[in-house]
C-alpha cells in the first residue's frame, strides 16, 4: 500500500489520501527519457503509460487506434444486409435507447444515411410506457411504416422474446450493442457487440456509439467496394465525431485506446460548432470555451438525458440531427427546462434513498426502493448513493408492482455481470449492463430475494477493495505553485474520465482567507499559502457538510485540500482554480 499523501489517514470525510504513483523512479525515467515536465511525467507514470506509448497517449489518433471493423464478430453479416438495403433504396429502421449513448448512436446513423440520401425511421422508447430495450410492437410498427432492416443501438443483446417475435414476423434486425452478453444470442440478422462471449476484438471498452461508428466505417468501405459512390459524393465520416465523443464520454466507459482517440478527435470537431443542435445546447449551457470531457459529461449530457428521463424520449435525437437553427434553439431550451425539472425530482428521490440506504450501510451492495419514485432519476441517485457509502448501489422505482432499477458501481465490481446472473437465476423480468452501470426490471415481490442475491454476488469483489475509502492523489503543491502554466501542461493528458482519471492534487498547508456561499449550497473560498500565493477554490454541494464546515470555520487552522485544478477562463482572463473534493486539518482535527 502506498504512503498517505501529507500523512492524511483520515480526512474530514473519512478518507485516506493515497499516492497514485507507487514508484517515483518511473516518473523520473519518463521525464529524463522524453524530456517531459516533472508534473506531467508523474501523472503519466501513475497511469502506467509506458515510454513507447506516451506519444500516442498525448496525441491519440484514429490512424493509430482504429482497427479493421471486421474484427468485430458479426460485423460482416451486418454490413452485407445494410449495403443491400442501401442499394435497394430501403428505409432503415432505428431503435435506440433513451440515454445519451442511445441518442448519439441513433443520431449518427441518421446523419450517415441522410448523407447517402437513404431514409431512416427512428424510434426511441418511452421509459415508463415501454421500459428498457426493444419491444416487438415498436419493431413491427417500424416495419409497417416502411422500414426494411431495423438496427437496434445501445440495446438488444438481451431482448430474446422481442427479437424472436420480430424474426417470426420476417423482420431483419441488426443489433449494435455493448452491454454484457450471454452465450446465447438473440434471434437477429446480425449481432455486433464487442462483449459477445465469442468476440476476440479486444474492444469491449467501446460505448454503443463507438460500435456504431465502426459500423458506418465498415458500411462506407463496403459501398465503396461495390462502386456505389461512383456517381455520388462519399461522406466525410470525421464530421460526426463530435456526436461520437459525446456518447463515449457520457456512457461511463474507459477513455483508453480507441475510446480515447474518438473522444479526443471528437472534442476538436465539437469546438468547431458544426452540429446545429450541439451548438444551440452549448449556448444554453453557457459553454464559452473550447469544450472538454467535463462539458460533454456534465453540461451537454445531462440535458440530452433529460428528454429520455422525464420528457419526450426522442428530443435528444431530434436535437442532434436537426439542421434548422430555430428548431435547435427551441429543442435546447426545452431540454434545459426538463433538466431543471429533473434536478428538482432528483432531490426528493435522493433524500428518501439516502435515508433508506443508511439502514443498509453494512451491506456489500446497497439496494433501495420506493413506491412512486420517478424512474427517470434513479441512475443519478444511484451515483450519489455510491459516493456517500462507497458501495455499489441500486435504486429501484416501484410502480404497480414492478420495480425499474438502475445501478452504479465502483472500480473492480462488475454490476453488469451481477445483473445478468440475477436474470439467469429467474429473479428479474429483464436486465443487463456493463461493469460500472446496469439496469433491471423486477417484480416487487422478489425485491428482498434480489437484494440478498446481489449482496452475495459482489461480496468477494467488495471485500478486495480497501477497508477505508481512499482518495487517489497525484501530488502535493502549495497554493502558489498551482499556476496556469502547470495546468496547461496537465491538460495535454485530457480528455479525462474512467480509465484516465483527471489528475488530483493536494494543496498543502493553506489558510482560508475568505469563504462564502454561492448558489444554493456551494462554498467558495480564497486560499493562501506561506509562499504568498493565492488560489481560488470552490466545493460543490458542500454547505452544512464536513467539507463546507471546515472551509467556513473561523480560526480553524491550516488545511490540506484535495481536488482537481482547472483553468478558470473568464472574459479573456485565465486563473487557476481548485475544485475541492476533500479537506483535512494540517495539524490534526
Amino acid at each position: 500500500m502506498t504512503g498517505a499523501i501529507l500523512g492524511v489517514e483520515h480526512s474530514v470525510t473519512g478518507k485516506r489520501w493515497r499516492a497514485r504513483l507507487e514508484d517515483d523512479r518511473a516518473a523520473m525515467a519518463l521525464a529524463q527519457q522524453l524530456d517531459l515536465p516533472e508534473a506531467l511525467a508523474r501523472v503519466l507514470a501513475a497511469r502506467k503509460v509506458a515510454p513507447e506509448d506516451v506519444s500516442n497517449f498525448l496525441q491519440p489518433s484514429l490512424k493509430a487506434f482504429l482497427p479493421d471493423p471486421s474484427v468485430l464478430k458479426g460485423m460482416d453479416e451486418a454490413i452485407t444486409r445494410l449495403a443491400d438495403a442501401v442499394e435497394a433504396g430501403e428505409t432503415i429502421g432505428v431503435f435506440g435507447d433513451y440515454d445519451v449513448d442511445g441518442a448519439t448512436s441513433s443520431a449518427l446513423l441518421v446523419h450517415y444515411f441522410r448523407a447517402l440520401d437513404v431514409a431512416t425511421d427512428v424510434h426511441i422508447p418511452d421509459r415508463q410506457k415501454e421500459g428498457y430495450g426493444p419491444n416487438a410492437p415498436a419493431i413491427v410498427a417500424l416495419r409497417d411504416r416502411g422500414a426494411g432492416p431495423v438496427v437496434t443501438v445501445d440495446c438488444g443483446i438481451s431482448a430474446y422474446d422481442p427479437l424472436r417475435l420480430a424474426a417470426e414476423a420476417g423482420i431483419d434486425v441488426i443489433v449494435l450493442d455493448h452491454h454484457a452478453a450471454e452465450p446465447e444470442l438473440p434471434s437477429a440478422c446480425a449481432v455486433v457487440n464487442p462483449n459477445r462471449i465469442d468476440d476476440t476484438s479486444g474492444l469491449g471498452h467501446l460505448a454503443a456509439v463507438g460500435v456504431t461508428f465502426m459500423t458506418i466505417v465498415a458500411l462506407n468501405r463496403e459501398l465503396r467496394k461495390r462502386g456505389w459512390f461512383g456517381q455520388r459524393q462519399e461522406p466525410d465520416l470525421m464530421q460526426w465525431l463530435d456526436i461520437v465523443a459525446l456518447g463515449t464520454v457520457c456512457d461511463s466507459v474507459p477513455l483508453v485506446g480507441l475510446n480515447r482517440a474518438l473522444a479526443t478527435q471528437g472534442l476538436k470537431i465539437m469546438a468547431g460548432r458544426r452540429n446545429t443542435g450541439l451548438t444551440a445546447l452549448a449556448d444554453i449551457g453557457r459553454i464559452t470555451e473550447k469544450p472538454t470531457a467535463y462539458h460533454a459529461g456534465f453540461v451537454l449530457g445531462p440535458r440530452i438525458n433529460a428528454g429520455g428521463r422525464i420528457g419526450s424520449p426522442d428530443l435528444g435525437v431530434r436535437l442532434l440531427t436537426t439542421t434548422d437553427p430555430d428548431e435547435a434553439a427551441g429543442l435546447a431550451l426545452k431540454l434545459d427546462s426538463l433538466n431543471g425539472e429533473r434536478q428538482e425530482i432528483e432531490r426528493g428521490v435522493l433524500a428518501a434513498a439516502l435515508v433508506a440506504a443508511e439502514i443498509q450501510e453494512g451491506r456489500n451492495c446497497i439496494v433501495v426502493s420506493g413506491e412512486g419514485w420517478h424512474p427517470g432519476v434513479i441512475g443519478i441517485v444511484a451515483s450519489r448513493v455510491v459516493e456517500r457509502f462507497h458501495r455499489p448501489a441500486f435504486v429501484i422505482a416501484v410502480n404497480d408492482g414492478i420495480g425499474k432499477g438502475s445501478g452504479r458501481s465502483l472500480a473492480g465490481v462488475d454490476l453488469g455481470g451481477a445483473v445478468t446472473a440475477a436474470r439467469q437465476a429467474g429473479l428479474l423480468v429483464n436486465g443487463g449492463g456493463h461493469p460500472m452501470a446496469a439496469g433491471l426490471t423486477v417484480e416487487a415481490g422478489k425485491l428482498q430475494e434480489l437484494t440478498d442475491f446481489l449482496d452475495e454476488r459482489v461480496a468477494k469483489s467488495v471485500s478486495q477493495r480497501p477497508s477505508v475509502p481512499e482518495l487517489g492523489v497525484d501530488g502535493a503543491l502549495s497554493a502558489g505553485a498551482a499556476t496556469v502554466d502547470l495546468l496547461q501542461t496537465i491538460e495535454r493528458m485530457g480528455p479525462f474520465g474512467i480509465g484516465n482519471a483527471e489528475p488530483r492534487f493536494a494543496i498543502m498547508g493553506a489558510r482560508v482567507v475568505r469563504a462564502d456561499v454561492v448558489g444554493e449550497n456551494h462554498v467558495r473560498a480564497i486560499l493562501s499559502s506561506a509562499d504568498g500565493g493565492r488560489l481560488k477554490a470552490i466545493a460543490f454541494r458542500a454547505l452544512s457538510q464536513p467539507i463546507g464546515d471546515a472551509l467556513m470555520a473561523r480560526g480553524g487552522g491550516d488545511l490540506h485540500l484535495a481536488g482537481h485544478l482547472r483553468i478558470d477562463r473568464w472574459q479573456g482572463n485565465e486563473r487557476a482554480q481548485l475544485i475541492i473534493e476533500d479537506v483535512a486539518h494540517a495539524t490534526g482535527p
Side-chain angles (χ1 to χ4, degrees):
M1 184 168 63
T2 57
I5 289 283
L6 300 175
V8 177
E9 297 285 353
H10 197 274
S11 69
V12 298
T13 64
K15 295 185 180 70
R16 179 180 185 272
W17 293 4
R18 172 184 55 81
R20 279 178 170 156
L21 182 59
E22 299 175 359
D23 186 351
D24 287 345
R25 291 173 297 180
M28 293 173 59
L30 277 181
Q32 293 172 3
Q33 184 175 340
L34 301 176
D35 192 26
L36 295 174
E38 180 183 350
L40 181 60
R42 287 187 62 85
V43 176
L44 287 167
R47 284 146 187 79
K48 302 188 182 335
V49 180
E52 62 271 19
D53 296 329
V54 167
S55 178
N56 280 337
F57 188 91
L58 294 179
Q59 296 178 309
S61 66
L62 289 179
K63 182 178 180 180
F65 288 103
L66 184 67
D68 183 332
S70 291
V71 300
L72 285 166
K73 196 80 171 178
M75 180 63 81
D76 291 343
E77 294 86 345
I79 294 313
T80 297
R81 180 63 184 93
L82 288 172
D84 289 347
V86 170
E87 289 187 325
E90 293 182 88
T91 294
I92 309 297
V94 178
F95 189 108
D97 192 19
Y98 37 62
D99 66 358
V100 179
D101 195 16
T104 52
S105 299
S106 301
L108 183 58
L109 290 179
V110 171
H111 279 290
Y112 179 71
F113 286 116
R114 181 187 290 164
L116 302 185
D117 200 25
V118 172
T120 55
D121 187 352
V122 179
H123 179 78
I124 307 295
D126 184 287
R127 181 187 295 257
Q128 298 197 58
K129 295 177 181 177
E130 299 176 72
Y132 170 77
N135 63 84
I139 293 176
V140 171
L142 284 168
R143 190 272 311 275
D144 291 346
R145 291 197 298 268
V150 174
V151 185
T152 72
V153 286
D154 197 30
C155 58
I157 195 63
S158 60
Y160 297 102
D161 289 340
L163 295 194
R164 175 181 55 79
L165 293 171
E168 291 173 356
I171 303 171
D172 289 336
V173 175
I174 296 166
V175 175
L176 303 183
D177 204 351
H178 72 128
H179 292 100
E182 299 178 43
E184 178 189 358
L185 296 175
S187 300
C189 174
V191 177
V192 184
N193 183 339
N195 287 303
R196 280 176 56 161
I197 302 299
D198 58 348
D199 187 282
T200 58
S201 66
L203 296 170
H205 57 285
L206 287 178
V209 73
V211 176
T212 305
F213 181 75
M214 290 191 68
T215 302
I216 68 170
V217 169
L219 179 54
N220 211 60
R221 179 180 64 184
E222 177 63 20
L223 291 173
R224 189 185 309 124
K225 286 180 180 178
R226 295 188 182 193
W228 199 80
F229 292 116
Q231 302 299 320
R232 304 172 180 88
Q233 183 176 358
E234 186 172 335
D236 174 15
L237 308 187
M238 302 301 107
Q239 65 183 303
W240 302 308
L241 282 178
D242 49 0
I243 298 174
V244 181
L246 179 63
T248 299
V249 168
C250 290
D251 208 53
S252 300
V253 292
L255 292 183
V256 298
L258 179 55
N259 280 347
R260 182 168 172 77
L262 291 171
T264 300
Q265 302 306 321
L267 288 170
K268 292 178 182 177
I269 300 296
M270 195 181 293
R273 294 168 64 91
R274 298 173 65 174
N275 183 286
T276 305
L278 279 181
T279 297
L281 200 61
D283 291 341
I284 285 286
R286 298 181 178 84
I287 300 176
T288 58
E289 58 192 285
K290 184 173 72 173
T292 65
Y294 169 81
H295 296 110
F298 294 96
V299 181
L300 302 175
R303 287 169 169 81
I304 291 176
N305 255 334
R309 293 186 186 282
I310 64 171
S312 300
D314 64 344
L315 287 175
V317 175
R318 288 169 56 195
L319 176 81
L320 293 173
T321 56
T322 185
T323 57
D324 182 341
D326 291 335
E327 181 186 19
L331 289 169
L333 191 62
K334 177 64 173 176
L335 287 168
D336 186 61
S337 175
L338 287 171
N339 192 50
E341 292 181 34
R342 186 271 305 168
Q343 291 171 328
E344 185 63 32
I345 295 170
E346 176 194 329
R347 279 190 282 269
V349 175
L350 176 60
L354 290 176
V355 170
E358 291 281 357
I359 304 171
Q360 297 190 31
E361 188 172 358
R363 281 188 170 269
N364 299 301
C365 182
I366 294 174
V367 180
V368 296
S369 61
E371 190 77 35
W373 287 357
H374 198 297
V377 301
I378 53 178
I380 304 170
V381 172
S383 296
R384 299 279 185 261
V385 174
V386 173
E387 289 174 7
R388 179 71 63 89
F389 296 98
H390 311 292
R391 288 288 186 272
F394 281 89
V395 176
I396 300 175
V398 180
N399 290 281
D400 299 325
I402 296 293
K404 294 179 180 179
S406 188
R408 296 294 183 269
S409 194
L410 299 166
V413 183
D414 182 0
L415 274 202
V419 167
T420 297
R423 183 162 53 78
Q424 292 172 336
L427 297 177
L428 301 178
V429 176
N430 196 5
H434 50 81
M436 294 300 293
L440 57 81
T441 302
V442 59
E443 296 173 4
K446 293 185 177 180
L447 270 173
Q448 187 57 55
E449 190 178 357
L450 174 66
T451 299
D452 294 338
F453 179 91
L454 292 172
D455 190 69
E456 182 179 352
R457 181 77 186 185
V458 304
K460 182 177 179 180
S461 299
V462 171
S463 69
Q464 293 172 345
R465 292 180 55 81
S467 56
V468 176
E470 292 186 332
L471 193 72
V473 178
D474 288 288
L477 307 168
S478 68
T483 65
V484 170
D485 286 345
L486 170 66
L487 298 191
Q488 288 173 337
T489 297
I490 296 300
E491 279 186 345
R492 294 172 59 191
M493 278 200 58
F496 302 114
I498 293 174
N500 182 35
E502 182 177 0
R504 183 182 292 117
F505 293 95
I507 303 301
M508 55 187 179
R511 185 168 295 274
V512 179
V513 176
R514 188 181 74 213
D516 56 9
V517 179
V518 293
E520 288 189 15
N521 56 359
H522 313 312
V523 178
R524 178 177 58 188
I526 300 294
L527 310 175
S528 69
S529 57
D531 60 8
R534 291 203 169 197
L535 179 65
K536 287 177 58 180
I538 188 166
F540 294 109
R541 301 190 304 275
L543 187 64
S544 300
Q545 300 295 323
I547 291 174
D549 292 343
L551 293 172
M552 298 292 287
R554 295 292 180 263
D558 291 350
L559 301 173
H560 300 316
L561 306 101
H564 301 302
L565 287 166
R566 295 181 187 151
I567 298 176
D568 180 29
R569 296 178 171 92
W570 178 251
Q571 295 183 339
N573 297 315
E574 294 185 338
R575 289 195 294 176
Q577 178 175 248
L578 176 69
I579 311 300
I580 301 171
E581 293 182 281
D582 205 2
V583 171
H585 294 277
T587 55

